[in-house]
Each structure stands twice: as structure tokens, then as C-alpha cells.
Amino acid sequence: MESYLYIALFAPLVGSLFATLFSNSPKKLFVGVITSALLIVSLIASITLLMDVYLTETIVHVRMLDWIVIGNVDIPFGFVVDQVSVVMMVVVTIVSAMVHIHSIGYMDHDKSFNRFFAWLSAFVFSMMILVMSDNFAGLFIGWEGVGLCSWGLIGFWYHKEDIKRSKNIEESPYSTLSPYSSKSPSWAANEAFIMNRVADLGMLIGMFLIFWNIGSLQYNEVFSKIGTLDHGLIVAIAAFLFIGAMGKSAQFPFNTWLANAMEGPTPVSALIHAATMVTAGVYLVIRANEIFTVVPEVGYFIASLGAFVALGAASMALVATNMKKIIAFSTLSQLGYMFVAAGLGAYWVALFHLATHAFFKSVLFLGAGNVMHATNDEINIKKMGGLAKHMPQTALIMTIASVALAGIFPLAGFFSKDLILEVAYGSHAYILWTVLWITAGLTAFYSFRLVMYVFHGKENYDHNKVHPHETYPFVIAAMTPLAILAICAGWFEHQFVEMVTKVLPPLDIHVSSLTFYSLIAVTTAIALGGIIFAVVKFKKDGTYYSEQMKDRLCYKILANQYYLPHFWEAAVTKPYAKLSEFSWKELDLKIIDAIVDGIAKGIYGGGEAGTSMQSGNLSKALKWMGIGIFILVILVVAFGNLK
């Protein structure tokens, strides 16, 4: 099985290096085909490992080579394929493979076609390192690798200017207040990169504390000794590790970068911002569950923050008109659900929802990409409508994914989301349960608000400029496996639990059968209520509904994302810019540059003055020699006396 591990890990790297060879060349279709084929190879190897781990309960653990060996420090470059990492491997590779195939059609006319696939495959390789590493140092290398690749992919269209592009701003008259509504892809990429680096400092501190007190970063050694540390120290380790998770998974207050990252190509959103990178924070908490289990107070904070983000993000999606941002807010909300489960100790439930969510959310983003291509890159849902008759396959797939997201039986989202609500109720966290229950209704509403605006009702696009059409058949074929998994992934709950609880703690929640079915009933009821309300409100044209709401205070608050971007702009960005300008003008130019320039001028002036000594005149040369001997004698006498 070791050979399959290397194939799964390095096939994406080979694809990235191959695409890099042609990165400055005109579009080569075979670049997309070969990189996609290599991702399928990685997927097959991952599935083979999954079957082996499930059937034989064998854990594949390899030490590929020594990495950091200094004195007592011994950190190898090693990988482990166990019941947790293999689930992530399969999720990452199946979504990545389908996104690669979809991208062949989506990026068909882009002049940087080859460069895109180089970045995309490099991202998958970094993500595989992150999930397969057997120690925190290797995880951090993959962690930073996906950060770098996401920077390149979010800012892929860096040539776009930093102006208010009508297609990329909210329709609300208040959203133009946002300092983030008109930023370029480069700006969005830098924001995501910098904000994650700030959070990553917390993760590094947590790793330093682990190594300082345990002497190792290997998972097995750390988890076996973590209980011997002082409780306060464990709290600090868990808290600092979670800060890193907050940044990567865009939890408050690091949440603003996720919606702005929609400036990147839509397949990037499907891969990075739905299924892989943003779930890395959840994976970190799941992977380090033996640390967080020891400090339940930190776990409850994680759960509370997750519920807060779930409700807040869902509420922002209610009024958003940018199609990709609606789906991004949905991702943020579902990440909150995952953190609630992980914070309450239901780690396998969090992993289960991570997997099911990856399938229906990635296909939603890919469907959004189809719609954009069919409408000349329009992303304002109010300028769409009636597209179902022109794009029946995309409409069907996105509707299936929306039903799964709403948590309706028997689709995948029903099984994983209801489990999280059951965990919250069974843990007596009734406030958290109530928040998640309300969020479930909001999720169903905004999901079908998008479906109704885009695919049904009045055709609001310019018929002279927009001629909707279905995408390439092979693109639909790439989306189909994800849509099928969005339907049936939840059906394998029993097998999933049986496998992952070999590593993760089993769920110790006990509710009566009556309570269990009652919870399902009330959750399904509010989800169906949200769907029905959206269909009724937007079945013809929802413009009148938005016009009635836009002057209300709550609408203004939600349209401006609770004014959090404004807060960051006023409290951090502008003061930092002013401090930087002051440092440049007053410190750098007037002091540092002045000192350096003064020294340079002094040396240059001394050199200019000294040229008179090299006149070639013998009498002047003898005079300078005499002066030099005189000074030398004085120095010898002076220092000789001191001695």
C-alpha cells in the first residue's frame, strides 16, 4: 500500500510541474487533459487506500526521509494514511479531479490556461501534504502551501483594475459603502494571504509550545503525552492552534476574506473555498482531537463561535445579490456547523458533514460558473431569471445541491446536518441548538432564493447581449458525480462511523427515539418552510420584495456585512496605512536615509579630497610620508605608555 500513498501524494505535483513547463506558452489543451488525468490517478490511489483501511483496518505509516535533524530535534518527512486522513484524501481528490475537468471548459478562452492548471495542481499537492502528514510541522508546510497557492489562484486575473465593476458589486444602494466591493483580484488575494498569515502566527505559537514541553511534533508522541502537561498550558496550546484554524476556515473575526476571494475564477471557489482549504481548520481540530478533548472549555468556545458564525453568515446571504458571494456566505455558515460539532466533542460528525458538504457545495460553485459563462460573466442574480429552460441540466444539478444544502431527506445534507443538531440537543447546549435550528431555516430560504432568481421567474437579462446556453457536455459529466454524491453520500453513515471511530472518539449522546424523531421533524419543518417561502416570494419576480426591504435598518446592516469590513478599514487598514506613510516619510526618508546618505557623502567627499595626495609630485609625496611617520610615532608612544 505504500506505493499507492506515494501515487496519491505526488501525482498532483507531477501535473503541476508539467503544466509549469508550458506556463508562458499559448493554451495547450493537453495540459488540462494531462493534469486532470493525473488527478484521477491520485483519486484512484486514494480510493484504493480507503478500501484497504476500511476492510483490513491497516494504517499505512511511512517515514520518507529525514527532514530537520539538529541535536535532539528529529522531525521526519513522514506520512500516515489512517481512517481520518484517508477520508480527507478521497474528498480532496474527487472534488479536485472534477474541478480540473470542469476547468478545461471554464478556462477554455483564457490566455493563461496553462498557468491556471499549474497553480491548481500545486494547490492539490499542498492539500495532500496537509492531510497526510504524520506531524504538525509537515501539516504546517502543507498549510502554508495551500495559502500560497490560494493567493496565486484568487489573484489569477491580477490584470483587472481596482475599479467598481457593476457586475461585481451588490445591487443594494448601501453596499457601495463597503471598501471591499470594488477591489481587484490582486487586492482580494493579498487580503486573504495577509489575514491568514496573522492567524498562522497563533498556530505557530501553539506548535512551539508543544515542542518546548513535549520535545516532539509527531502526532502519536504529542497525543500520548499531552495529558501530562499543566491544564493551563494545554488550554494555551489548544487556543493558539484554534487561532490558526479560525484564519484558514474564515471564522470571526477573520471571516471577511472569504467572500472577497470570489474575485478568483469560479473553479477556484469550488475547490478552495468549498471543499478543501477552508475545511483545513476543521481538519486541524479533528486531527488534534486528543488535545481539545482535555480542555472542554476551549471546545465549548469553539462551538459557540461556530454557532455565531453560522447564523451571522446565513443572515448575510439573505440579501446578497452576488451569486458567488451567496454561496460563499453559505460555506462560512456550514463551517460554523462543523465547528459546533467538533467543539462539542463530536469529531466524527464534524468530519462527516465536512465530507457531505464538500460534494454539494462544490457542485453549487461549478454550477454558478456555468451560469456566468452563459450570461457573459454576470453574477448579479437580479439580472438573471428564467434560465432553467436554456440550461436545464445545470438548473437540475444546482437544485439538487440546494436541496442537499437545505438538509432535506434523503439527500446527504440531511444526515450530517441533523446529526449536528442532535449533538447540540443531546449535549444540553439548547442555545446552540436553537441558533442552528434557525440557521437551518435561513439556509433553505437563501438557497432557493438563489435558485428562483437565477432559473425561474422573469427573464431580467438583456436579450440583445445575453444568449443563455448550456455548457459543454463534458463539463456536465464532471459535475454529475458530485451531484450523485450530494444525493447519496449520507446513506453510508453507518460504514463511515464504523471506520472513523477506530481513530476518533465515538459519539456519546443519548436521546430517546421520540426526541430523535421530533428533532428531525422540527428541523425538516423549518427547512421546508424556508424553501416554500422562497418559492412563493420569488416564483415570478422578487424585485418588489427587495424594494420593500432595502430602506429598512436590518437590510442595511446585512447588506454591509454587519459593517465588519468598515470596522477593519477604520480600525486596522487606514491606521496601518497612515503609520506606514509616517514611517516612510519621517523615519525612513528623514532619518535612516539621511544617515546612510550622510555616511556615503562623507566617504565620497573624503575620497575626493584625498585625490590631491596622488598628484605624482615627489616633494608632496615625501611631505605626506613625513606626516604619516609623525602620526605613527605619536600613536606608538601613546599606546606604548598605556601598556
mmCIF file of all heavy atoms in Angstrom, residues 167-191:
data_model
loop_
_atom_site.group_PDB
_atom_site.id
_atom_site.type_symbol
_atom_site.label_atom_id
_atom_site.label_comp_id
_atom_site.label_asym_id
_atom_site.label_seq_id
_atom_site.Cartn_x
_atom_site.Cartn_y
_atom_site.Cartn_z
ATOM 1 N N LYS A 167 -20.766 44.510 -12.447
ATOM 2 C CA LYS A 167 -21.171 43.109 -12.313
ATOM 3 C C LYS A 167 -20.693 42.502 -11.004
ATOM 4 O O LYS A 167 -21.119 41.426 -10.631
ATOM 5 C CB LYS A 167 -20.625 42.293 -13.485
ATOM 6 C CG LYS A 167 -21.251 42.666 -14.830
ATOM 7 C CD LYS A 167 -20.682 41.784 -15.929
ATOM 8 C CE LYS A 167 -21.294 42.124 -17.278
ATOM 9 N NZ LYS A 167 -20.766 41.296 -18.362
ATOM 10 N N ASN A 168 -19.775 43.169 -10.326
ATOM 11 C CA ASN A 168 -19.166 42.560 -9.153
ATOM 12 C C ASN A 168 -19.521 43.269 -7.855
ATOM 13 O O ASN A 168 -18.871 43.070 -6.847
ATOM 14 C CB ASN A 168 -17.648 42.539 -9.298
ATOM 15 C CG ASN A 168 -17.212 41.580 -10.376
ATOM 16 O OD1 ASN A 168 -17.926 40.647 -10.695
ATOM 17 N ND2 ASN A 168 -16.063 41.816 -10.957
ATOM 18 N N ILE A 169 -20.526 44.159 -7.880
ATOM 19 C CA ILE A 169 -20.920 44.825 -6.645
ATOM 20 C C ILE A 169 -22.378 44.517 -6.354
ATOM 21 O O ILE A 169 -23.148 44.156 -7.217
ATOM 22 C CB ILE A 169 -20.686 46.345 -6.704
ATOM 23 C CG1 ILE A 169 -21.527 46.979 -7.827
ATOM 24 C CG2 ILE A 169 -19.234 46.670 -6.894
ATOM 25 C CD1 ILE A 169 -21.438 48.484 -7.878
ATOM 26 N N GLU A 170 -22.726 44.678 -5.111
ATOM 27 C CA GLU A 170 -24.085 44.404 -4.699
ATOM 28 C C GLU A 170 -25.054 45.398 -5.334
ATOM 29 O O GLU A 170 -24.728 46.556 -5.562
ATOM 30 C CB GLU A 170 -24.184 44.497 -3.166
ATOM 31 C CG GLU A 170 -23.310 43.487 -2.449
ATOM 32 C CD GLU A 170 -23.762 42.072 -2.685
ATOM 33 O OE1 GLU A 170 -24.951 41.787 -2.507
ATOM 34 O OE2 GLU A 170 -22.929 41.251 -3.061
ATOM 35 N N GLU A 171 -26.257 44.973 -5.586
ATOM 36 C CA GLU A 171 -27.283 45.837 -6.153
ATOM 37 C C GLU A 171 -27.774 46.839 -5.121
ATOM 38 O O GLU A 171 -28.260 47.907 -5.460
ATOM 39 C CB GLU A 171 -28.451 44.975 -6.642
ATOM 40 C CG GLU A 171 -29.486 45.703 -7.460
ATOM 41 C CD GLU A 171 -29.005 46.012 -8.863
ATOM 42 O OE1 GLU A 171 -27.858 45.717 -9.202
ATOM 43 O OE2 GLU A 171 -29.786 46.567 -9.622
ATOM 44 N N SER A 172 -27.652 46.497 -3.845
ATOM 45 C CA SER A 172 -28.122 47.380 -2.793
ATOM 46 C C SER A 172 -27.414 48.719 -2.846
ATOM 47 O O SER A 172 -26.199 48.789 -3.008
ATOM 48 C CB SER A 172 -27.849 46.737 -1.422
ATOM 49 O OG SER A 172 -27.950 47.696 -0.397
ATOM 50 N N PRO A 173 -28.144 49.832 -2.677
ATOM 51 C CA PRO A 173 -27.502 51.147 -2.697
ATOM 52 C C PRO A 173 -26.575 51.351 -1.522
ATOM 53 O O PRO A 173 -25.725 52.226 -1.535
ATOM 54 C CB PRO A 173 -28.699 52.111 -2.629
ATOM 55 C CG PRO A 173 -29.794 51.314 -1.977
ATOM 56 C CD PRO A 173 -29.592 49.912 -2.456
ATOM 57 N N TYR A 174 -26.715 50.508 -0.488
ATOM 58 C CA TYR A 174 -25.888 50.677 0.688
ATOM 59 C C TYR A 174 -24.581 49.916 0.595
ATOM 60 O O TYR A 174 -23.612 50.251 1.262
ATOM 61 C CB TYR A 174 -26.670 50.215 1.933
ATOM 62 C CG TYR A 174 -28.013 50.874 2.021
ATOM 63 C CD1 TYR A 174 -29.172 50.194 1.678
ATOM 64 C CD2 TYR A 174 -28.123 52.206 2.408
ATOM 65 C CE1 TYR A 174 -30.411 50.802 1.732
ATOM 66 C CE2 TYR A 174 -29.359 52.826 2.468
ATOM 67 C CZ TYR A 174 -30.497 52.123 2.129
ATOM 68 O OH TYR A 174 -31.710 52.730 2.173
ATOM 69 N N SER A 175 -24.551 48.896 -0.229
ATOM 70 C CA SER A 175 -23.357 48.059 -0.295
ATOM 71 C C SER A 175 -22.189 48.783 -0.936
ATOM 72 O O SER A 175 -21.060 48.384 -0.790
ATOM 73 C CB SER A 175 -23.652 46.768 -1.054
ATOM 74 O OG SER A 175 -24.030 47.055 -2.372
ATOM 75 N N THR A 176 -22.454 49.867 -1.660
ATOM 76 C CA THR A 176 -21.351 50.625 -2.257
ATOM 77 C C THR A 176 -20.525 51.307 -1.183
ATOM 78 O O THR A 176 -19.444 51.811 -1.455
ATOM 79 C CB THR A 176 -21.886 51.683 -3.234
ATOM 80 O OG1 THR A 176 -22.822 52.525 -2.548
ATOM 81 C CG2 THR A 176 -22.578 51.034 -4.412
ATOM 82 N N LEU A 177 -21.048 51.330 0.051
ATOM 83 C CA LEU A 177 -20.277 51.887 1.155
ATOM 84 C C LEU A 177 -19.098 50.998 1.508
ATOM 85 O O LEU A 177 -18.130 51.450 2.096
ATOM 86 C CB LEU A 177 -21.164 52.039 2.401
ATOM 87 C CG LEU A 177 -22.333 53.026 2.303
ATOM 88 C CD1 LEU A 177 -23.210 52.889 3.538
ATOM 89 C CD2 LEU A 177 -21.826 54.441 2.164
ATOM 90 N N SER A 178 -19.229 49.730 1.170
ATOM 91 C CA SER A 178 -18.210 48.772 1.565
ATOM 92 C C SER A 178 -16.887 49.051 0.874
ATOM 93 O O SER A 178 -16.825 49.186 -0.338
ATOM 94 C CB SER A 178 -18.653 47.344 1.224
ATOM 95 O OG SER A 178 -17.592 46.453 1.444
ATOM 96 N N PRO A 179 -15.793 49.155 1.619
ATOM 97 C CA PRO A 179 -14.487 49.379 0.998
ATOM 98 C C PRO A 179 -14.008 48.165 0.235
ATOM 99 O O PRO A 179 -13.018 48.215 -0.464
ATOM 100 C CB PRO A 179 -13.578 49.653 2.207
ATOM 101 C CG PRO A 179 -14.234 48.932 3.332
ATOM 102 C CD PRO A 179 -15.712 49.045 3.075
ATOM 103 N N TYR A 180 -14.741 47.052 0.346
ATOM 104 C CA TYR A 180 -14.300 45.824 -0.294
ATOM 105 C C TYR A 180 -15.059 45.519 -1.585
ATOM 106 O O TYR A 180 -14.752 44.558 -2.258
ATOM 107 C CB TYR A 180 -14.470 44.645 0.671
ATOM 108 C CG TYR A 180 -13.642 44.790 1.907
ATOM 109 C CD1 TYR A 180 -14.169 45.358 3.055
ATOM 110 C CD2 TYR A 180 -12.306 44.397 1.927
ATOM 111 C CE1 TYR A 180 -13.399 45.515 4.189
ATOM 112 C CE2 TYR A 180 -11.532 44.546 3.055
ATOM 113 C CZ TYR A 180 -12.079 45.104 4.186
ATOM 114 O OH TYR A 180 -11.323 45.262 5.302
ATOM 115 N N SER A 181 -16.088 46.308 -1.906
ATOM 116 C CA SER A 181 -16.959 45.947 -3.017
ATOM 117 C C SER A 181 -16.327 46.168 -4.372
ATOM 118 O O SER A 181 -16.808 45.669 -5.363
ATOM 119 C CB SER A 181 -18.255 46.749 -2.928
ATOM 120 O OG SER A 181 -17.973 48.134 -3.034
ATOM 121 N N SER A 182 -15.246 46.945 -4.446
ATOM 122 C CA SER A 182 -14.706 47.317 -5.747
ATOM 123 C C SER A 182 -13.238 46.953 -5.889
ATOM 124 O O SER A 182 -12.529 47.541 -6.689
ATOM 125 C CB SER A 182 -14.887 48.824 -5.952
ATOM 126 O OG SER A 182 -14.210 49.538 -4.929
ATOM 127 N N LYS A 183 -12.772 46.044 -5.083
ATOM 128 C CA LYS A 183 -11.347 45.735 -5.083
ATOM 129 C C LYS A 183 -11.007 44.730 -6.177
ATOM 130 O O LYS A 183 -11.827 43.930 -6.599
ATOM 131 C CB LYS A 183 -10.915 45.206 -3.716
ATOM 132 C CG LYS A 183 -11.112 46.219 -2.589
ATOM 133 C CD LYS A 183 -10.362 47.511 -2.834
ATOM 134 C CE LYS A 183 -10.543 48.484 -1.685
ATOM 135 N NZ LYS A 183 -9.838 49.748 -1.902
ATOM 136 N N SER A 184 -9.767 44.776 -6.583
ATOM 137 C CA SER A 184 -9.298 43.915 -7.666
ATOM 138 C C SER A 184 -8.973 42.524 -7.142
ATOM 139 O O SER A 184 -8.842 42.308 -5.927
ATOM 140 C CB SER A 184 -8.046 44.532 -8.282
ATOM 141 O OG SER A 184 -6.987 44.498 -7.343
ATOM 142 N N PRO A 185 -8.806 41.560 -8.042
ATOM 143 C CA PRO A 185 -8.379 40.223 -7.607
ATOM 144 C C PRO A 185 -7.063 40.246 -6.824
ATOM 145 O O PRO A 185 -6.900 39.485 -5.881
ATOM 146 C CB PRO A 185 -8.251 39.459 -8.930
ATOM 147 C CG PRO A 185 -9.220 40.120 -9.834
ATOM 148 C CD PRO A 185 -9.170 41.581 -9.471
ATOM 149 N N SER A 186 -6.150 41.113 -7.232
ATOM 150 C CA SER A 186 -4.873 41.195 -6.511
ATOM 151 C C SER A 186 -5.095 41.634 -5.075
ATOM 152 O O SER A 186 -4.477 41.107 -4.142
ATOM 153 C CB SER A 186 -3.929 42.177 -7.213
ATOM 154 O OG SER A 186 -3.528 41.677 -8.464
ATOM 155 N N TRP A 187 -5.975 42.611 -4.898
ATOM 156 C CA TRP A 187 -6.267 43.084 -3.545
ATOM 157 C C TRP A 187 -6.901 41.975 -2.716
ATOM 158 O O TRP A 187 -6.539 41.768 -1.553
ATOM 159 C CB TRP A 187 -7.197 44.288 -3.618
ATOM 160 C CG TRP A 187 -7.335 45.020 -2.324
ATOM 161 C CD1 TRP A 187 -6.646 46.118 -1.911
ATOM 162 C CD2 TRP A 187 -8.229 44.682 -1.251
ATOM 163 N NE1 TRP A 187 -7.056 46.486 -0.657
ATOM 164 C CE2 TRP A 187 -8.026 45.632 -0.222
ATOM 165 C CE3 TRP A 187 -9.178 43.691 -1.066
ATOM 166 C CZ2 TRP A 187 -8.739 45.603 0.965
ATOM 167 C CZ3 TRP A 187 -9.889 43.650 0.133
ATOM 168 C CH2 TRP A 187 -9.674 44.607 1.129
ATOM 169 N N ALA A 188 -7.861 41.265 -3.307
ATOM 170 C CA ALA A 188 -8.530 40.177 -2.592
ATOM 171 C C ALA A 188 -7.542 39.071 -2.226
ATOM 172 O O ALA A 188 -7.599 38.512 -1.128
ATOM 173 C CB ALA A 188 -9.667 39.612 -3.452
ATOM 174 N N ALA A 189 -6.613 38.768 -3.139
ATOM 175 C CA ALA A 189 -5.606 37.739 -2.870
ATOM 176 C C ALA A 189 -4.699 38.158 -1.723
ATOM 177 O O ALA A 189 -4.379 37.353 -0.833
ATOM 178 C CB ALA A 189 -4.782 37.473 -4.128
ATOM 179 N N ASN A 190 -4.292 39.412 -1.734
ATOM 180 C CA ASN A 190 -3.425 39.912 -0.661
ATOM 181 C C ASN A 190 -4.153 39.913 0.680
ATOM 182 O O ASN A 190 -3.563 39.593 1.723
ATOM 183 C CB ASN A 190 -2.931 41.318 -0.993
ATOM 184 C CG ASN A 190 -1.928 41.328 -2.132
ATOM 185 O OD1 ASN A 190 -1.272 40.321 -2.393
ATOM 186 N ND2 ASN A 190 -1.806 42.447 -2.817
ATOM 187 N N GLU A 191 -5.432 40.287 0.667
ATOM 188 C CA GLU A 191 -6.195 40.282 1.908
ATOM 189 C C GLU A 191 -6.253 38.874 2.492
ATOM 190 O O GLU A 191 -6.013 38.673 3.692
ATOM 191 C CB GLU A 191 -7.609 40.802 1.666
ATOM 192 C CG GLU A 191 -8.440 40.832 2.937
ATOM 193 C CD GLU A 191 -9.934 40.870 2.689
ATOM 194 O OE1 GLU A 191 -10.363 40.495 1.584
ATOM 195 O OE2 GLU A 191 -10.673 41.255 3.610
#
